[in-house]
Amino acid sequence: MLLPTALLALIGLLHPSLAYAPLSDDTLQQLPSPGDDFDIHKGAILAPILRTRVSGTPGNAQVLQHFIDFFEKHLPHWEITLHNSTSTTPVSNGKEIAFVNFIATRDPPGSKVGEVARLALAAHYDSKLTPHGFIGATDSAAPCAMILHAARSIDMALTKKWESAEGADDLELEEQRGVQILLLDGEEAFKVWTDDDSLYGARALASHWESLPHPTLSTYRTPLDSISLFMLLDLLGSSSPNVPSYFRTTHWAYKHMADLETRLRKLGAFKSSPNHPTKFAKRKAKNPKAKPRAEQPFLVDANKGNNEFYGGFVQDDHVPFMARGVEILHMIPTPFPRVWHELDDDGEHLDMDTVEDWTRLVTAFVAEWMELEGFFDFKEGKRKDEYVATGKSEL
Ligand SMILES: *[C@@H]1O[C@H](CO)[C@@H](O)[C@H](O)[C@H]1NC(C)=O
Ligand SMILES: [Zn+2]
């Protein structure tokens, strides 16, 4: 039986979080890789973040400016907001330190505030005060870079999708979905992690948004309520991460991500896989009888049962949002990377294949969430530097 389209649209409206459409194999394989933009010394996206950027210092302000410049140059359709707050810290001698969250939002054209459900992609951009000179490449320079690349990769497809909707009526009937990027300040403790010395930016933002009402009768009461899923990336970029599913209520989303990982590995589009075509070819050249090796998934909990969630989780920027009822998907490995809070958590110690794989995974997840299959134009979207990067990886 075929349901009338209006009814289908209504079902979509009643179950906004269930809308999710897989990408084709073709699209998955062609999603643009960051290429030279992730070069740790001169890459346009990653290199400017790989520096000390302690909250309230010039380094922090320069990284914030990098985000602003990136969006103004490449992503003019996104609305940029800075959320400012101040707080003393255990080492500020009573002085107020400024924390600035960077927020970029892309909603469907003509949509009304309070009517859009948003997928939020979050990472923190500040770095830890100690050890002196700490870079925090996995914590969380690389996750910030992943998010910037994902936003740029889906931007044109979003435009095409929204242009293709036949007039405002279609968009109005369809559940309205947007994407929001939260690059948060002040995640790290200045001294020792406590409730008061950590999550400065996230705590201020969650509290501000909770008390910022949308117009009366809005579908979503506040900007917090508008977040359908808060996906937080942290401590990503070391090899062989082991990322559990932390929350029962978002395990369905975790499973979508795990499916994507499995598919990307099967398609030979996962660079850190021992069976990636380039690596497998090398083994074959040495030993013609070489067999594929077992895959070690990043997302280890795809088959976790409903009653296997015991409530353990990692303290991070999601906490003040979760406390206010926001649904969380936390992409953080357990155990933490070996370099965690060590001086050698720097660009040189990133595993770039793993960084690229996370980037592709996150990009694909956002594309499926936003139902972008059929709206990518890889020829048009292809940048010159990608040809260079692809050429290199073939060697
Ligand atoms: C927030 O802080 C930034 C960076 O210091 C500053 O440029 C901006 O004007 C501030 N915004 C508001 C509304 O105070
Ligand atoms: Zn940290």
Side-chain angles (χ1 to χ4, degrees):
M1 193 188 81
L2 213 69
L3 287 169
T5 47
L7 190 53
L8 277 173
L10 195 63
I11 292 171
L13 212 65
L14 294 174
H15 297 280
S17 59
L18 297 182
Y20 189 97
L23 295 175
S24 66
D25 287 356
D26 259 4
T27 302
L28 272 185
Q29 273 172 315
Q30 291 189 78
L31 288 175
S33 80
D36 286 355
D37 284 351
F38 275 17
D39 184 286
I40 61 167
H41 300 295
K42 40 188 185 358
I45 292 181
L46 180 58
I49 317 174
L50 289 172
R51 52 159 305 145
T52 55
R53 49 192 187 285
V54 176
S55 301
T57 67
N60 181 283
Q62 278 173 31
V63 171
L64 173 68
Q65 191 59 48
H66 165 52
F67 300 148
I68 297 170
D69 293 345
F70 181 83
F71 273 82
E72 284 183 347
K73 182 166 174 206
H74 300 287
L75 300 168
H77 295 305
W78 297 63
E79 190 192 324
I80 298 175
T81 333
L82 300 181
H83 169 256
N84 297 355
S85 62
T86 65
S87 172
T88 59
T89 79
V91 300
S92 73
N93 296 317
K95 202 178 141 225
E96 294 282 332
I97 303 296
F99 298 92
V100 187
N101 296 316
F102 173 90
I103 302 156
T105 309
R106 189 154 188 214
D107 288 342
S111 56
K112 293 195 194 84
V113 64
E115 300 305 321
V116 183
R118 301 186 183 118
L119 171 63
L121 307 176
H124 77 86
Y125 76 88
D126 62 303
S127 65
K128 201 168 172 297
L129 177 62
T130 56
H132 185 70
F134 177 73
I135 297 293
T138 70
D139 187 9
S140 271
C144 289
M146 292 168 195
I147 290 175
L148 294 187
H149 176 75
R152 182 175 59 180
S153 304
I154 59 149
D155 185 59
M156 225 186 302
L158 269 182
T159 304
K160 288 226 163 82
K161 179 188 161 91
W162 286 333
E163 276 173 358
S164 80
E166 289 159 26
D169 280 0
D170 257 28
L171 268 174
E172 222 153 88
L173 263 181
E174 218 193 309
E175 184 240 336
Q176 302 219 9
R177 253 171 296 161
V179 186
Q180 188 162 62
I181 282 161
L182 306 172
L183 302 174
L184 302 169
D185 196 6
E187 187 265 353
E188 300 284 8
F190 285 84
K191 212 167 172 187
V192 181
W193 188 284
T194 63
D195 287 354
D196 294 326
D197 186 18
S198 66
L199 315 181
Y200 292 89
R203 282 187 286 126
L205 184 63
S207 147
H208 173 56
W209 273 358
E210 181 182 37
S211 55
L212 193 69
H214 283 151
T216 316
L217 301 184
S218 291
T219 305
Y220 305 102
R221 291 170 293 114
T222 66
L224 264 199
D225 200 27
S226 295
I227 299 175
S228 38
L229 184 71
F230 183 103
M231 177 158 81
L232 177 61
L233 312 180
D234 201 357
L235 303 183
L236 303 180
S238 294
S239 61
S240 309
N242 182 90
V243 175
S245 178
Y246 296 95
F247 305 116
R248 188 202 331 251
T249 57
T250 54
H251 187 56
W252 65 275
Y254 179 98
K255 279 197 287 190
H256 280 310
M257 192 100 158
D259 279 351
L260 275 171
E261 184 187 358
T262 306
R263 290 181 62 206
L264 285 167
R265 286 178 184 274
K266 279 197 186 129
L267 289 167
F270 222 62
K271 279 197 165 176
S272 63
S273 158
N275 304 312
H276 186 271
T278 53
K279 291 187 186 149
F280 193 52
K282 266 190 208 150
R283 286 212 307 280
K284 275 258 188 216
K286 278 195 202 138
N287 171 12
K289 285 186 192 151
K291 293 230 165 59
R293 289 190 185 153
E295 296 283 345
Q296 267 195 349
F298 294 0
L299 279 75
V300 289
D301 274 347
N303 299 316
K304 190 167 177 172
N306 231 348
N307 48 8
E308 294 174 78
F309 289 85
Y310 305 112
F313 63 89
V314 182
Q315 297 288 321
D316 206 345
D317 276 331
H318 61 295
V319 169
F321 292 85
M322 191 166 77
R324 293 167 170 86
V326 178
E327 293 291 348
I328 311 292
L329 184 60
H330 198 190
M331 289 289 130
I332 190 171
T334 301
F336 292 169
R338 181 201 55 78
V339 294
W340 178 64
H341 287 185
E342 298 286 348
L343 268 182
D344 60 356
D345 187 4
D346 55 14
E348 280 75 13
H349 289 83
L350 286 171
D351 183 77
M352 290 318 291
D353 285 350
T354 302
V355 171
E356 260 201 51
D357 289 342
W358 275 118
T359 305
R360 188 169 290 256
L361 207 44
V362 170
T363 305
F365 181 83
V366 183
E368 294 200 336
W369 186 281
M370 296 306 289
E371 306 192 314
L372 295 181
E373 176 62 26
F375 296 108
F376 284 97
D377 182 345
F378 294 111
K379 270 193 221 99
E380 195 183 307
K382 203 114 189 151
R383 303 184 317 279
K384 223 167 89 204
D385 52 1
E386 274 156 33
Y387 287 110
V388 176
T390 313
K392 261 188 205 156
S393 69
E394 299 301 319
L395 293 176

